[in-house]
């Protein structure tokens, strides 16, 4: 008898009928002879609605109270799912993250999980209950309720699976696996049978929200078997595996295309070109807790240059406030912001051993008359910042360029 961790996303528990469908799946898994822990997200758009509600009260809600509010979303769905399972004649018990001992580092809105206690979950499993745990939340050592960041229920699921040594961590969602691109944007995207942890980490952190990137990092580290499947279909889904296995199964140079529409670009104009200025600029941004993504610096003219960088769009206000300080401290002429951007990326471990992969990307974008504003590369990815309105066109063009279309 194995232990299975299943995670059901917001769209999988969006209404009562769907909660009943999930309850049946949990029961079936148990009936097949497994112990089961189900991690659940908030129903449908609950988290978005709670954020909007807070913003009606105050423009910039304080982080602690925001986490207190958002944690209630998941608490609704665990209780409802446990009731549904019980009403079908089976044992189930629901727990919040803090109740079950999900210990976080205490930072609000973007907490990391430090440890997961096993005893309470194991005790309930031993009694024959399905254990239903709220995703996305935990508590710090001093009892503060904290959340893990948007999409964080996936990370709860993998952390619980790793702590319990689960046989499998199944992420159930509204698509039937990981595709070569977001199937809502690229209609002929192909479902992958397997993808390497390394590629999946990149795709997830570059905008493919089907998995939370930190969940993939954890699964990779603890070698937790991880699978993405549809809640509403009986299907194998996509298995996340180690590199060599994925390469044997999928021989494409590029495995996938990702789009991130939640970025903003800041340009610092007329930055004095002398040693120490970049350190001052990024020191101020770092102290403000802003995570920088891409950076480019132009060649200098008359002792001044321009520096552009990207940040998550939700941090734009904070960044512009920090930029005012930067201008003052360094004598930079002005700071401009642009929210009208997106980042498109190609990812593939196969690209390490191929040349000309990046130039094909630039050519595909040029053929669509899409201007590239910034470029960044690593061994297994190439990303370009482009105009927001052209992001979906870019994804389709790149998907076609690398021959990713078709059916698996
Ligand atoms: P959940 O609520 O179950 O956590 P999410 O909305 O977070 O679900 O993630 C699932 C969505 O991710 C899909 O509906 C799909 O539109 C999107 N997505 C983006 N990129 C990909 C991809 N490469 N493969 C599959 N789905 C993707
Ligand atoms: N409910 C949270 C969110 O919407 C966490 C999750 O769904 O994974 O971001
Ligand atoms: Mg999600």
């Amino acid at each position: 008898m194995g232990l299975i961790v299943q995670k059901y996303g917001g769209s999988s528990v969006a209404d009562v009928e769907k909660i009943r469908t999930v309850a049946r799946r949990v029961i079936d898994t148990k009936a097949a002879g497994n112990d089961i822990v189900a991690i659940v997200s908030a129903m449908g758009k609950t988290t978005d609605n709670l954020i909007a509600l807070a913003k009606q009260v105050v423009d910039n809600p304080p982080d602690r109270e925001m986490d207190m509010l958002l944690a209630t979303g998941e608490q609704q769905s665990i209780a409802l799912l446990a009731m549904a399972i019980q009403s079908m004649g089976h044992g189930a018990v629901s727990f919040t993250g803090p109740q079950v001992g999900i210990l976080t580092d205490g930072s609000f809105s973007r907490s990391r999980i430090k440890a997961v206690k096993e005893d309470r979950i194991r005790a309930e499993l031993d009694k024959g209950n399905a254990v239903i745990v709220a995703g996305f939340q935990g508590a710090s050592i001093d009892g503060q309720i904290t959340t893990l960041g948007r999409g964080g229920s996936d990370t709860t699921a993998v952390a619980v699976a790793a702590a319990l040594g689960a046989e499998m961590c199944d992420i159930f969602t509204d698509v039937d696996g990981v595709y070569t691109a977001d199937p809502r944007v690229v209609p002929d995207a192909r479902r992958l049978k397997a993808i390497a942890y390394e590629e999946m980490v990149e795709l997830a952190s570059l905008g493919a929200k089907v998995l939370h990137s930190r969940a993939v990092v954890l699964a990779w580290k603890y070698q937790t078997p991880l699978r993405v499947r549809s809640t509403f279909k009986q299907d194998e889904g996509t298995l996340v595996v180690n590199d060599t296995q994925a390469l044997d199964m999928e021989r494409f140079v590029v495995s996938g295309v990702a789009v991130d529409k939640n970025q903003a670009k800041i340009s610092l104009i007329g930055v004095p070109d002398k040693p120490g200025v970049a350190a001052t600029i990024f020191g101020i941004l770092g102290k403000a807790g802003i995570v920088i993504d891409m950076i480019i610096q132009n060649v200098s003219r008359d002792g001044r240059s321009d520096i552009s960088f990207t940040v998550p769009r939700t941090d734009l206000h904070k960044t512009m406030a920090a930029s005012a300080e930067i201008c003052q401290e360094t004598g930079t002429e002005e700071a401009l912001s642009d929210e009208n951007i997106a980042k498109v990326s190609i990812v593939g471990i196969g690209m390490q051993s191929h040349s000309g992969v990046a130039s094909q990307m630039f050519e595909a974008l040029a053929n669509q008359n899409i201007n590239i504003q910034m470029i960044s590369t690593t061994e297994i990815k190439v990303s370009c910042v482009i105009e927001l309105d052209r992001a979906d066109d870019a994804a389709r063009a790149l998907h076609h360029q690398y021959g990713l279309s078709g059916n698996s």
Side-chain angles (χ1 to χ4, degrees), residues 7 9-11 172-175 177-179 181-184 208-210:
K7 179 260 173 178
S11 49
F172 284 99
T173 182
D174 58 355
V175 274
V178 178
Y179 280 69
D182 187 340
R184 290 178 210 286
K209 69 172 184 156
V210 62

Side-chain angles (χ1 to χ4, degrees), residues 376-388:
S376 95
T377 67
T378 70
E379 280 192 330
I380 68 159
K381 67 136 211 230
V382 186
S383 299
C384 295
V385 169
I386 59 167
E387 188 190 333
L388 180 61

Side-chain angles (χ1 to χ4, degrees), residues 179-200:
Y179 280 69
T180 46
D182 187 340
R184 290 178 210 286
V185 175
V186 182
D188 59 354
R190 190 169 47 89
R191 189 179 63 177
L192 298 164
K193 287 198 186 76
I195 185 163
Y197 288 111
E198 192 177 3
E199 291 173 317
M200 195 62 237

Side-chain angles (χ1 to χ4, degrees), residues 7 10 41-42 47-48 74 136 149-154:
K7 179 260 173 178
S41 292
T47 308
D48 289 334
E74 271 67 15
F136 176 60
R150 296 305 305 268
S153 295
D154 297 341

